[in-house]
Amino acid sequence: MSVQQPTDQIFNQLDVFGHKKVVFCSDPDTGLRAIIAIHDTTLGPAFGSTRMWAYKSEGDALNDVLRLSKSMTYKCAIAGLNMGGGYSVIIGDSRKDKTEAMMRKFGRFIKNLNGEFITSEDVGTNPRDMEYIRMETQHVTGIPESLGGSGDPSPIAAKGVYMGIKACVREQFGTDSLTGKSVIVQGIGHVGENLVKLLRDENAKVYISDINDERTRQVSKKYGAEAVSNNSIFDIDADIFSPCALGAIINTETIGKLKCSIIAGSANNQLQDEHQHGEMLLEKGILFAPDYVINAGGIINCYSELMGFSKKRTLQLTENIYEATRNVLKLSKLEKISTTDAANKIAEKRIADIKKVKSTY
Ligand code: NAD
């Protein structure tokens, strides 16, 4: 798919994914080239981060924003938030191309959507960029705590993943306790490190791997986690594999090697092919916690910022991820469908139900 293709093909793709609106933002003065995709606004305004990435082609950027915005619809729905799904991408190298003027111009495009889209930081953007956007529009979250925002969402995201892991452990081992359970955490960045802390606080045996050796050494020493090389993670016989770095890490090759009984981590889009690999895991008896269900803590944090919720309320909403995961696992078992299909069903049902509620003025 390339945006150079005839527009009927773009519209066809929007029809297939069910998108409502796509906005192309172009400003040669600041070098801004961005796409805002609004997937569904049944539950509320479309919420989604802004990613800045040096995409190989405009078609790749469009595909990414369409895929990401659709998954936001599902993430918000299953987390019980009154928000729809959207996303935006800025085409460019964030280290070289990003300027205050570019981000503020982008803020103007968001402002013109009159609240239909609300954003936050992602790969290639940071709280400072959100501050620039905030100078032009109020429809942005992830502002630093010192400026009245909710600050770094990673600890909350990690807490949600931890609750999701507990729900899976309950299913596979009949207990919520992680004491004595072994967990491999792949990627010990913002979320991964916070997760390692929670796991070690409960006396789980934790293995860590990261491409950043210095970071691996530091985190290993700080929390008493065992560092392993990225190549050997699939040789380790651990109860839980927690991908907290990359998408598409669960594929035909890695499923063949996995020895764990649970996969539960923060990385987005962990299954290379949602349907095929979801089914393969089901057949192999490996419990997969759908990523968008258990990594919703970050978005809950941003939602709380919008709603003016307290930290206590944010934590409560994040702890609900335990119940949301349990419901997914129950439906998967009952209907003998993959956990991803079960999660999608629950999310779609909530959207359909609320659509009916909203039919009365
Ligand atoms: P991060 O960039 O802080 O950390 C990612 C870590 O993964 C880094 O330490 C990096 O060195 C490591 N890494 C990269 N490639 C690797 C590889 N091939 N093997 C092993 N390690 C590798 O990112 P983060 O904020 O911790 O997010 C981690 C994942 O969780 C991402 O997929 C992100 O989209 C997702 N997520 C994050 C949040 C959040 O609030 N930060 C919320 C929801 C989902």
Side-chain angles (χ1 to χ4, degrees):
M1 175 76 197
S2 146
V3 285
Q4 283 84 23
Q5 285 175 297
T7 48
D8 59 342
Q9 292 188 29
I10 296 178
F11 280 106
N12 281 346
Q13 187 172 3
L14 302 192
D15 286 348
V16 171
F17 279 36
H19 281 78
K20 192 169 173 265
K21 186 187 276 188
V22 176
V23 181
F24 289 85
C25 315
S26 170
D27 183 59
D29 287 343
T30 57
L32 176 73
R33 297 173 95 202
I35 312 173
I36 301 172
I38 295 174
H39 178 254
D40 191 287
T41 51
T42 307
L43 299 178
F47 187 82
S49 306
T50 295
R51 174 170 294 188
M52 184 160 182
W53 193 252
Y55 290 98
K56 286 205 186 92
S57 69
E58 292 167 17
D60 282 357
L62 181 62
N63 275 328
D64 205 28
V65 78
L66 293 181
R67 197 179 48 85
L68 289 164
S69 52
K70 185 176 179 194
S71 70
M72 284 303 288
T73 297
Y74 283 76
K75 191 186 284 205
C76 290
I78 208 153
L81 309 183
N82 292 318
M83 301 291 275
Y87 227 88
S88 53
V89 296
I90 299 175
I91 301 171
D93 183 336
S94 62
R95 287 162 305 179
K96 288 193 306 207
D97 304 331
K98 199 166 57 180
T99 59
E100 174 188 349
M102 176 190 275
M103 295 314 294
R104 292 183 63 169
K105 193 66 172 190
F106 184 58
R108 291 251 154 184
F109 279 99
I110 295 176
K111 182 186 168 85
N112 288 343
L113 288 167
N114 293 315
E116 194 180 7
F117 175 68
I118 301 167
T119 200
S120 66
E121 70 172 274
D122 191 40
V123 178
T125 58
N126 56 43
R128 184 78 184 122
D129 299 323
M130 299 307 114
E131 275 182 70
Y132 288 139
I133 293 175
R134 183 70 183 83
M135 289 173 194
E136 307 303 327
T137 175
Q138 59 178 331
H139 302 303
V140 56
T141 63
I143 307 294
E145 272 181 298
S146 55
L147 295 173
S150 58
D152 180 9
S154 313
I156 297 288
K159 178 78 181 188
V161 173
Y162 172 75
M163 298 311 294
I165 290 177
K166 274 186 171 291
C168 294
V169 168
R170 156 75 57 189
E171 188 70 21
Q172 295 291 66
F173 300 101
T175 166
D176 280 351
S177 172
L178 297 176
T179 304
K181 295 281 173 295
S182 48
V183 191
I184 305 166
V185 181
Q186 183 191 40
I188 38 158
H190 290 96
V191 182
E193 179 178 350
N194 282 292
L195 179 63
V196 169
K197 180 179 186 315
L198 292 167
L199 295 169
R200 289 295 298 134
D201 283 351
E202 207 178 322
N203 284 323
K205 162 83 186 159
V206 179
Y207 300 93
I208 55 170
S209 93
D210 199 291
I211 46 170
N212 182 335
D213 293 338
E214 182 49 32
R215 195 162 169 79
T216 311
R217 262 192 299 278
Q218 283 170 4
V219 173
S220 164
K221 197 168 161 208
K222 191 167 168 190
Y223 302 102
E226 187 174 329
V228 292
S229 79
N230 228 3
N231 296 333
S232 63
I233 50 173
F234 296 109
D235 301 329
I236 295 166
D237 199 353
D239 299 311
I240 301 147
F241 175 48
S242 184
C244 294
L246 302 170
I249 184 71
I250 308 300
N251 50 50
T252 307
E253 190 196 337
T254 56
I255 291 173
K257 294 184 194 167
L258 278 169
K259 295 187 174 68
C260 60
S261 61
I262 294 167
I263 300 172
S266 74
N268 283 308
N269 303 316
Q270 288 164 35
L271 302 183
Q272 192 176 60
D273 181 304
E274 190 178 288
H275 187 70
Q276 183 196 352
H277 297 123
E279 289 291 324
M280 280 176 79
L281 291 172
L282 187 67
E283 273 167 35
K284 209 176 161 183
I286 298 179
L287 200 57
F288 173 64
D291 38 72
Y292 74 76
V293 179
I294 72 165
N295 74 11
I299 184 188
I300 289 172
N301 201 53
C302 294
Y303 182 72
S304 294
E305 182 177 327
L306 286 175
M307 298 292 150
F309 288 162
S310 63
K311 283 218 167 209
K312 192 173 164 205
R313 179 74 185 128
T314 308
L315 208 58
Q316 277 170 352
L317 286 174
T318 307
E319 282 170 357
N320 289 348
I321 287 177
Y322 177 87
E323 214 43 54
T325 312
R326 294 281 302 147
N327 290 338
V328 168
L329 303 185
K330 270 186 219 155
L331 185 66
S332 155
K333 207 169 172 180
L334 187 74
E335 298 198 359
K336 298 187 175 51
I337 54 177
S338 72
T339 50
T340 321
D341 286 348
N344 290 349
K345 262 188 137 174
I346 294 172
E348 283 163 9
K349 181 172 184 318
R350 177 161 184 252
I351 295 168
D353 286 350
I354 303 303
K355 200 174 234 164
K356 286 181 218 147
V357 171
K358 290 192 173 180
S359 66
T360 302
Y361 182 67

Coordinates of all heavy atoms in Angstrom, one line a residue, residues 75 153-154 157 186-192 209-212 215 230 244-246 266-268 295 298, ligand 1:
K75 N -7.9 -1.1 22.8 CA -7.3 -0.9 24.1 C -8.2 -0.1 25.0 O -8.4 -0.4 26.1 CB -5.9 -0.2 23.9 CG -5.1 -0.3 25.2 CD -3.8 0.5 25.0 CE -2.7 -0.2 24.2 NZ -1.4 0.3 24.6
P153 N 4.4 7.7 32.3 CA 3.4 6.6 32.5 C 4.0 5.2 32.7 O 3.2 4.3 33.0 CB 2.6 6.7 31.1 CG 3.6 7.1 30.2 CD 4.6 8.0 30.9
S154 N 5.3 5.1 32.6 CA 5.9 3.7 32.6 C 5.6 3.0 33.9 O 5.3 1.8 33.8 CB 7.4 3.8 32.4 OG 7.6 4.6 31.3
A157 N 2.2 1.7 33.6 CA 2.2 0.6 32.6 C 2.7 -0.7 33.1 O 2.1 -1.8 32.9 CB 3.0 1.1 31.4
Q186 N 12.3 -9.4 28.6 CA 13.1 -9.0 27.4 C 12.9 -7.5 27.2 O 11.8 -7.1 26.9 CB 12.6 -9.8 26.2 CG 13.5 -9.4 25.0 CD 13.0 -9.9 23.6 OE1 11.8 -9.9 23.4 NE2 13.9 -10.4 22.8
G187 N 13.9 -6.7 27.4 CA 13.8 -5.3 27.2 C 13.6 -4.7 28.6 O 12.5 -4.7 29.2
I188 N 14.6 -4.0 29.1 CA 14.5 -3.5 30.5 C 14.6 -2.0 30.4 O 15.5 -1.3 31.1 CB 15.5 -4.1 31.5 CG1 16.8 -4.3 30.7 CG2 15.0 -5.4 32.1 CD1 18.0 -4.5 31.6
G189 N 13.8 -1.4 29.6 CA 13.7 0.1 29.4 C 12.8 0.6 30.5 O 12.8 0.1 31.6
H190 N 12.0 1.6 30.2 CA 11.1 2.3 31.1 C 10.2 1.3 31.8 O 10.1 1.3 33.0 CB 10.4 3.4 30.5 CG 11.2 4.6 30.1 ND1 11.7 4.7 28.8 CD2 11.7 5.6 30.8 CE1 12.5 5.8 28.8 NE2 12.4 6.4 30.0
V191 N 9.5 0.6 31.0 CA 8.5 -0.4 31.6 C 9.2 -1.6 32.2 O 8.9 -2.0 33.3 CB 7.4 -0.8 30.5 CG1 6.4 -1.7 31.1 CG2 6.8 0.4 29.8
G192 N 10.1 -2.1 31.4 CA 10.8 -3.4 31.8 C 11.4 -3.2 33.2 O 11.3 -4.1 34.0
S209 N 17.1 -9.5 29.7 CA 18.0 -9.4 28.5 C 17.6 -8.1 27.8 O 16.5 -7.6 27.8 CB 17.8 -10.6 27.6 OG 16.8 -10.3 26.6
D210 N 18.7 -7.4 27.3 CA 18.5 -6.2 26.6 C 19.7 -6.0 25.6 O 20.8 -6.5 25.9 CB 18.5 -5.0 27.6 CG 17.8 -3.7 27.0 OD1 18.5 -3.1 26.1 OD2 16.7 -3.4 27.4
I211 N 19.5 -5.3 24.6 CA 20.6 -5.0 23.7 C 21.6 -4.0 24.3 O 22.7 -3.9 23.8 CB 20.1 -4.6 22.3 CG1 19.1 -3.5 22.4 CG2 19.6 -5.7 21.4 CD1 18.8 -2.8 21.1
N212 N 21.2 -3.3 25.3 CA 22.0 -2.3 25.9 C 22.7 -3.0 27.1 O 22.1 -3.2 28.2 CB 21.1 -1.2 26.4 CG 22.0 -0.1 27.0 OD1 23.0 -0.3 27.6 ND2 21.4 1.1 27.0
R215 N 23.0 -1.2 30.6 CA 21.7 -1.1 31.3 C 21.5 -2.5 31.9 O 21.0 -2.6 33.1 CB 20.6 -0.8 30.3 CG 19.4 -0.3 30.9 CD 18.4 0.4 30.1 NE 17.2 0.4 30.9 CZ 17.0 1.3 31.9 NH1 17.9 2.2 32.2 NH2 15.9 1.2 32.6
N230 N 20.6 -12.1 24.7 CA 19.3 -12.1 23.9 C 19.2 -13.4 23.1 O 18.0 -13.9 22.9 CB 19.4 -10.9 22.9 CG 18.1 -10.1 23.0 OD1 17.2 -10.4 23.8 ND2 18.0 -9.1 22.1
C244 N 9.1 -7.0 26.6 CA 8.9 -5.6 26.9 C 9.8 -4.7 26.0 O 10.2 -3.6 26.4 CB 9.2 -5.3 28.4 SG 8.1 -6.1 29.5
A245 N 10.1 -5.2 24.8 CA 10.9 -4.4 23.9 C 10.3 -4.3 22.6 O 9.9 -3.2 22.2 CB 12.3 -5.1 23.7
L246 N 10.1 -5.4 21.9 CA 9.7 -5.4 20.5 C 8.4 -6.0 20.1 O 8.0 -6.9 20.8 CB 10.8 -6.2 19.7 CG 12.2 -5.8 19.8 CD1 13.1 -6.9 19.2 CD2 12.4 -4.5 19.1
S266 N 4.7 -6.0 28.0 CA 4.2 -4.7 27.6 C 4.3 -4.4 26.1 O 3.6 -3.5 25.6 CB 5.0 -3.6 28.4 OG 6.3 -3.4 27.8
A267 N 5.2 -5.0 25.4 CA 5.4 -4.6 24.0 C 4.2 -4.7 23.2 O 3.3 -5.6 23.3 CB 6.5 -5.5 23.4
N268 N 4.0 -3.7 22.3 CA 2.8 -3.7 21.5 C 2.9 -4.7 20.3 O 4.0 -4.9 19.8 CB 2.6 -2.3 20.9 CG 2.0 -1.3 21.9 OD1 1.0 -1.6 22.5 ND2 2.7 -0.2 22.1
N295 N -1.2 -3.9 28.7 CA -0.3 -2.7 28.7 C -1.1 -1.4 28.7 O -0.5 -0.4 28.4 CB 0.8 -2.8 27.6 CG 0.2 -2.5 26.2 OD1 -1.0 -2.1 26.1 ND2 1.0 -2.8 25.2
G298 N -0.4 2.7 30.7 CA 0.1 3.9 30.2 C -1.1 4.9 29.7 O -1.1 6.1 30.1
Ligands
NAD1 P1 12.1 1.8 26.2 O1 12.6 2.3 24.9 O2 12.3 2.6 27.4 O3 12.7 0.4 26.4 C1 12.8 -0.6 25.5 C2 14.1 -1.4 25.9 O4 14.1 -2.5 25.0 C3 15.4 -0.6 25.8 O5 16.1 -0.8 26.9 C4 16.1 -1.3 24.5 O6 17.5 -1.3 24.6 C5 15.5 -2.7 24.6 N1 15.5 -3.4 23.3 C6 15.4 -2.9 22.1 N2 15.5 -3.9 21.2 C7 15.8 -5.0 21.8 C8 16.0 -6.3 21.5 N3 16.0 -6.7 20.2 N4 16.2 -7.2 22.4 C9 16.2 -6.9 23.7 N5 16.0 -5.6 24.2 C10 15.8 -4.7 23.2 O7 10.5 1.5 25.9 P2 9.4 1.3 27.0 O8 8.7 2.6 27.3 O9 9.9 0.6 28.2 O10 8.4 0.4 26.2 C11 8.6 -1.0 26.0 C12 7.5 -1.6 25.2 O11 6.3 -1.4 25.9 C13 7.4 -0.9 23.8 O12 7.0 -1.8 22.9 C14 6.2 0.1 24.1 O13 5.5 0.4 22.9 C15 5.4 -0.7 25.0 N6 4.5 0.2 25.9 C16 5.1 1.2 26.7 C17 4.3 1.9 27.5 C18 4.8 3.0 28.3 O14 4.1 3.6 29.1 N7 6.1 3.3 28.3 C19 2.9 1.7 27.6 C20 2.4 0.7 26.8 C21 3.2 -0.1 25.9

